């Protein structure tokens, strides 16, 4: 295992932080992190997460453990060889078209999509992701669009959340500025 990059964010819409590192594991890649924040309903949250990808940045599996208030969270997410996704060994229907895993509570997983897409300036891509909603205990499809505007700027849209903004990205691929949601701290 080789540590490639680390990141530390402050949440902007609610009190909280997230720390993550990108690791090279043999022929694959792994994100390993922890988020601590106050949920929209006021409950404290602590979530440890890990996402593993193959050499081409295709998500293979993820794990989320921790708690939201008094509720324990323990999610095992996997992409099977036939493209189906599962959450805690139960098939999540309608996700076979999704290549990427997006953990909805952290900006870390945007790195995986950006690395896999490897967009050139001026290119854009629609990216359906398998999105983890820890509050709803679910894995569902979520449409996203990225358009690379410069070496560091990506126009990002998530219609489901009525969100669109210019993301600023580090050379390693971590989002350093996620307007109204997250900001990297030095």
């Amino acid at each position: 295992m080789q540590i490639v990059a680390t990141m530390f964010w402050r949440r902007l819409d609610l009190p909280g932080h997230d720390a993550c590192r990108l690791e090279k594991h043999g022929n694959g890649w792994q994100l390993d992190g922890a988020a601590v924040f106050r949920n929209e309903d006021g409950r404290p949250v602590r979530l440890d997460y890990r996402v593993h990808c193959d050499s081409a940045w295709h998500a293979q599996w993820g794990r989320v453990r921790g708690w939201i208030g008094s509720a324990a969270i323990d999610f095992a997410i996997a992409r099977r060889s036939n493209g189906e996704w599962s959450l805690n060994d139960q098939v999540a229907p309608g996700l076979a078209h999704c290549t990427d895993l997006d953990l909805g509570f952290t900006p870390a997983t945007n790195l995986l999509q950006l690395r896999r897409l490897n967009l050139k300036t001026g290119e854009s891509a629609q990216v359906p992701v398998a999105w983890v909603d820890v509050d709803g205990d679910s894995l569902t499809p979520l449409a996203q669009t990225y358009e690379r505007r410069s070496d560091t700027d990506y126009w990002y849209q998530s219609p489901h959340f009525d969100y669109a903004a210019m993301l600023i990205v580090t050379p390693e691929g971590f989002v350093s500025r996620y307007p109204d949601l997250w900001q990297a701290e030095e």
Side-chain angles (χ1 to χ4, degrees), residues 52-161:
H52 188 81
C53 295
D54 65 15
S55 61
W57 298 95
H58 297 102
Q60 295 179 317
W61 58 266
R63 188 74 191 223
V64 179
R65 288 183 173 156
W67 43 265
I68 300 175
S70 61
I73 301 293
D74 191 356
F75 293 156
I77 306 118
R79 186 158 194 242
R80 299 176 177 180
S81 59
N82 64 0
E84 288 184 333
W85 288 86
S86 65
L87 176 64
N88 293 337
D89 293 322
Q90 299 297 311
V91 172
L95 296 173
H97 67 291
C98 299
T99 302
D100 302 301
L101 178 60
D102 188 308
L103 304 180
F105 60 87
T106 176
T109 50
N110 293 88
L111 173 139
L112 305 175
Q113 298 154 32
L114 292 172
R115 284 282 192 109
R116 183 183 62 77
L117 292 169
N118 195 26
L119 297 173
K120 307 266 188 279
T121 301
E123 291 181 336
S124 65
Q126 293 184 358
V127 184
V129 299
W131 180 71
V132 176
D133 178 4
V134 293
D135 286 319
D137 293 344
S138 63
L139 186 63
T140 59
L142 180 70
Q144 300 177 337
T145 303
Y146 291 94
E147 180 187 342
R148 188 166 192 173
R149 300 269 177 97
S150 72
D151 287 348
T152 60
D153 298 357
Y154 288 82
W155 182 251
Y156 170 78
Q157 296 176 318
S158 179
H160 176 79
F161 294 106

